[in-house]
């Protein structure tokens, strides 16, 4: 495998304006995410953005940024365009999509997403963590993963839902929206129209399942903090305070 890590980032956040450039201990949030991706040491890292200020923040710290169109409906579409600009020769066969609002993502979690890609049948891989909070079991904003355990912390995806599923005794799994894509699968995915279940659940990954793509997931210990509100930002600042390190 020859992975490329791509971090999509844009400024259009209604709940937290200018989110990628908000300061966390002297660095823009997007730079923290870029640093975590570099620390994973799985391949080259680049930020895909439609905002010049985001690109300049990354370049100011020695990173690679690629400008993309403004109209993209999702991060998957944005990284697909960025991939074509960065690697038209097709050298990178795996793309790891790390969301730009996950400053506490661990390098180990990024590396874990690549495990299932050793099997050619896997079109894309993702991450899950066991739900321990009772409130999260029923919260619609917590996306649940339903799948078959394969052993070694690996699962094959059967469904993703905002409902509480599956029913009955046993663990529930919180889906973490980080993806490792096979390049051919990403190209196929962005060419497909949104699927019925995707539109109903408002979950993009269901398009891949409805198209027959195999998705495997790896267990990780913790759900990284997604920064969507001012309270999230303050929590991220506490978690990334000097003297506290994100686990390798």
């Amino acid at each position: 495998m020859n992975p490329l890590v791509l971090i999509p980032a844009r400024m259009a956040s209604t709940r937290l304006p200018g989110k990628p450039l908000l300061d966390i201990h002297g660095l823009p949030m997007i730079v923290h995410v870029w640093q975590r991706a570099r620390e994973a040491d799985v391949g080259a890292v680049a930020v895909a953005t439609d905002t010049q200020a985001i690109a300049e923040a990354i370049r100011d710290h020695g990173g690679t940024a690629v400008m993309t169109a403004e109209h993209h409906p999702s991060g998957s579409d944005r990284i697909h365009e960025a991939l074509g600009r960065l690697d038209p020769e097709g050298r990178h066969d795996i793309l790891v999509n790390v969301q730009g609002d996950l400053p506490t993502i661990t390098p180990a979690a990024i590396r874990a997403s690549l495990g299932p890609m050793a099997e050619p049948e896997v079109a894309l891989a993702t991450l899950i963590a066991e739900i321990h909070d009772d409130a999260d079991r029923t919260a619609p904003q917590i996306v649940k993963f339903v799948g078959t355990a394969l052993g070694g912390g690996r699962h094959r995806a059967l469904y993703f839902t905002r409902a509480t599923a599956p029913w009955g005794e046993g663990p529930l799994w919180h889906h973490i929206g980080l993806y490792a894509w096979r390049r051919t699968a990403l190209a196929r995915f962005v060419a497909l129209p949104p699927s019925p279940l995707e539109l109903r659940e408002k979950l993009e990954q269901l398009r891949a399942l409805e198209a027959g793509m195999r998705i495997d997931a790896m267990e990780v210990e913790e759900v990284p903090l997604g920064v969507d509100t001012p309270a999230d930002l303050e929590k991220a600042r506490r978690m990334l305070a000097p003297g506290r390190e994100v686990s390798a």
Side-chain angles (χ1 to χ4, degrees):
M1 294 188 293
N2 185 19
L4 171 65
V5 182
L6 288 171
I7 306 168
R10 63 193 185 102
M11 295 291 275
S13 171
T14 55
R15 289 191 289 175
L16 196 59
K19 153 165 98 166
L21 297 180
L22 293 178
D23 180 84
I24 300 178
H25 303 298
L27 292 176
M29 181 167 65
I30 189 63
V31 173
H32 281 275
V33 181
W34 170 76
Q35 288 179 335
R36 300 295 88 76
R38 289 186 66 223
E39 291 161 6
D41 195 26
V42 298
V45 180
V47 170
T49 185
D50 60 3
T51 305
Q52 190 64 42
I54 294 175
E56 290 173 358
I58 292 296
R59 291 168 182 155
D60 285 347
H61 289 85
T64 298
V66 57
M67 298 301 298
T68 59
E70 296 181 3
H71 66 270
H72 291 302
S74 73
S76 301
D77 296 279
R78 192 172 303 283
I79 68 165
H80 182 254
E81 181 192 351
L83 175 63
R85 293 180 180 274
L86 285 169
D87 182 32
E89 301 86 5
R91 294 167 297 172
H92 296 286
D93 56 345
I94 303 292
L95 296 309
V96 183
N97 181 348
V98 179
Q99 293 181 29
D101 60 0
L102 298 178
T104 68
I105 187 74
T106 66
I110 296 171
R111 289 193 294 269
S113 71
L114 288 168
M117 304 309 289
E119 288 195 28
E121 297 82 7
V122 176
L124 62 153
T126 190
L127 302 175
I128 57 175
E130 187 171 351
I131 294 174
H132 298 289
D133 189 325
D134 285 342
D136 288 348
R137 297 170 70 89
T138 56
Q141 70 271 23
I142 303 297
V143 178
K144 288 78 175 180
F145 168 93
V146 181
T148 299
L150 302 176
R154 182 171 169 178
H155 302 246
R156 183 171 302 172
L158 300 175
Y159 195 60
F160 298 84
T161 181
R162 298 183 183 278
T164 302
W167 183 84
E169 295 296 324
L172 295 183
W173 297 98
H174 183 150
H175 176 237
I176 299 166
L178 181 152
Y179 298 96
W181 285 93
R182 206 167 299 281
R183 185 175 186 144
T184 52
L186 178 62
R188 180 186 172 200
F189 177 84
V190 298
L192 292 170
S195 69
L197 288 172
E198 173 188 0
L199 294 171
R200 183 169 178 172
E201 292 259 22
K202 295 182 172 57
L203 297 175
E204 185 185 40
Q205 62 271 33
L206 291 175
R207 187 192 319 174
L209 281 184
E210 288 194 83
M213 297 185 192
R214 175 172 160 180
I215 305 176
D216 279 14
M218 292 297 300
E219 297 175 28
V220 295
E221 290 296 320
E222 296 180 356
V223 177
L225 174 66
V227 176
D228 290 314
T229 67
D232 293 336
L233 179 63
E234 289 307 312
K235 185 175 181 180
R237 286 170 173 159
R238 292 194 298 272
M239 294 174 69
L240 294 170
R244 299 188 65 180
E245 295 184 0
V246 175
S247 172

